[in-house]
Amino acid sequence: MIIDYPGEYFSVKDTLECGQIFRFSPCRDGYTLVSADKVCFLKNEGDRVYIDCDDPDYFYAYFDLDRDYKEIYSEAVNYGIPFLTHAANKGKGIRILNQNREEMLFSFIISQNNNIPRIKKTIEAICASIGDKITFHGEEYSAFPSAETLASQSKEFFRSLGAGYRDEYLCDTAKRVALQGISHLDSLKGEALKCELMKYKGVGGKVADCVALFGFHDTSRFPVDTWLEKVYAEDFCGTEKSRKKMTAYFENLFGEKSGFIQQYLFHAKRNV
DNA sequence: GCCCAGGAGTGCA
DNA sequence: TGCACTCATGGG
């Protein structure tokens, strides 16, 4: 099944390479992508996007195809902030993905004080090692492991695959999720959701914001990492020093559009 | 060899 | 509350 969608506000490359997803790789003239236990191939061609998959309903929601991103782009530009306007123009094809919640939780625990190539490598190694095998168009892929499967691994297992000192965070969180699930978070939003997420070991403010934004689609979150610290100081003339206060500043400024605008800014700053 | 990366936990004032 | 320190590791 192929989803055919307008490409003006959907850049496959920018959407995948802006740090919200780690399980994708270039393939022919596009990318293959794995989310939880599902695979798709997608590409821009002309002014269209084509998504080839076995579960179109899942990926329709996953790529947020019901949302009007032209409106988000326009609102970003209307702030009249020079760097934001520049960033929105560069990244107007970025979409916020609706990703699997558990996968986001474990992935962003690995992301702390780490770089994207190594995050991808570690996650891929874990999936290849203990994820269920899935087949798509004759090729084999590995699903993201269940919390139960993750919980049955030792600290040494995660460390040997490159997780470093985050090994115990993964073990601890996996055991909790395997025991309790995360459905008790489904109805939460905003500060309440963030607060609950921060109860997992290895999840601080920034990781909680990423999980809330990319896993729960809570677009009122504005994750501040090292790149957004630079944006804050260099492009918004900010004077606060703590990430907590920077986050509060941005979320107060951008409200429910925080998550989208954060991705524009992250993408622009990271690509010099 | 040094600095950095989608930071967080801990201890101490 | 607010610092300083520490954590593992590959890339540039």
Side-chain angles (χ1 to χ4, degrees):
Chain A
M1 179 81 66
I2 291 182
I3 301 173
D4 178 358
Y5 195 82
E8 187 179 3
Y9 291 93
F10 190 169
S11 161
V12 172
K13 177 180 167 60
D14 292 342
T15 296
L16 300 190
E17 293 186 351
C18 67
Q20 58 178 321
I21 167 179
F22 303 106
R23 302 203 64 201
F24 67 94
S25 57
C27 174
R28 303 195 302 274
D29 53 344
Y31 294 86
T32 54
L33 176 163
V34 187
S35 170
D37 61 348
K38 298 178 190 304
V39 186
C40 75
F41 169 82
L42 73 166
K43 64 179 177 180
N44 282 103
E45 190 173 296
D47 60 355
R48 309 297 295 178
V49 173
Y50 298 103
I51 305 165
D52 187 1
C53 61
D54 292 333
D55 192 341
D57 288 344
Y58 179 84
F59 284 106
Y60 194 89
Y62 181 89
F63 289 109
D64 206 22
L65 298 185
D66 262 340
R67 192 181 303 271
D68 179 10
Y69 276 76
K70 181 177 185 178
E71 182 185 330
I72 291 163
Y73 163 76
S74 300
E75 286 192 37
V77 170
N78 282 342
Y79 277 93
I81 300 167
F83 186 72
L84 176 54
T85 299
H86 160 74
N89 280 312
K90 261 187 95 166
K92 70 178 186 179
I94 295 173
R95 308 181 76 85
I96 303 280
L97 305 176
N98 280 299
Q99 302 189 69
N100 179 272
R101 296 172 172 185
E102 292 186 18
E103 181 170 345
M104 289 299 95
L105 179 57
F106 294 113
S107 295
F108 277 95
I109 285 175
I110 294 171
S111 81
Q112 68 159 268
N113 198 27
N114 208 341
N115 57 67
I116 290 178
R118 199 162 78 93
I119 297 164
K120 291 179 67 172
K121 207 176 291 183
T122 301
I123 292 173
E124 210 49 52
I126 292 171
C127 294
S129 175
I130 57 173
D132 291 340
K133 300 308 169 197
I134 44 182
T135 304
F136 178 71
H137 287 196
E139 299 282 326
E140 187 175 84
Y141 300 87
S142 300
F144 196 89
S146 67
E148 288 76 12
T149 304
L150 290 167
S152 68
Q153 308 302 317
S154 64
K155 270 173 47 173
E156 290 69 28
F157 169 79
F158 293 112
R159 183 164 291 227
S160 72
L161 295 180
Y165 68 90
R166 309 160 193 85
D167 55 356
E168 57 178 307
Y169 302 158
L170 292 169
C171 280
D172 195 273
T173 298
K175 283 179 183 134
R176 273 194 55 193
V177 175
L179 207 59
Q180 314 169 343
I182 54 170
S183 57
H184 61 290
L185 304 176
D186 287 352
S187 58
L188 300 179
K189 197 179 180 311
E191 289 300 317
L193 173 59
K194 178 174 183 175
C195 187
E196 283 303 308
L197 287 169
M198 287 176 69
K199 291 181 179 172
Y200 293 101
K201 199 161 190 177
V203 178
K206 189 270 173 183
V207 168
D209 283 334
C210 283
V211 176
L213 176 57
F214 304 132
F216 291 77
H217 220 278
D218 182 355
T219 62
S220 69
R221 300 297 95 192
F222 193 104
V224 173
D225 66 349
T226 60
W227 296 101
L228 268 298
E229 276 184 353
K230 293 181 181 122
V231 171
Y232 176 79
E234 295 170 10
D235 305 298
F236 284 74
C237 302
T239 55
E240 297 290 353
K241 288 192 161 185
S242 78
R243 285 189 177 187
K244 191 172 180 180
K245 287 184 177 172
M246 295 180 199
T247 301
Y249 166 80
F250 282 124
E251 288 177 352
N252 185 51
L253 185 58
F254 298 125
E256 291 295 320
K257 297 287 184 285
S258 289
F260 303 103
I261 289 173
Q262 192 271 357
Q263 284 302 97
Y264 290 152
L265 295 171
F266 175 83
H267 174 75
K269 201 65 176 178
R270 211 168 147 255
N271 293 286
V272 194

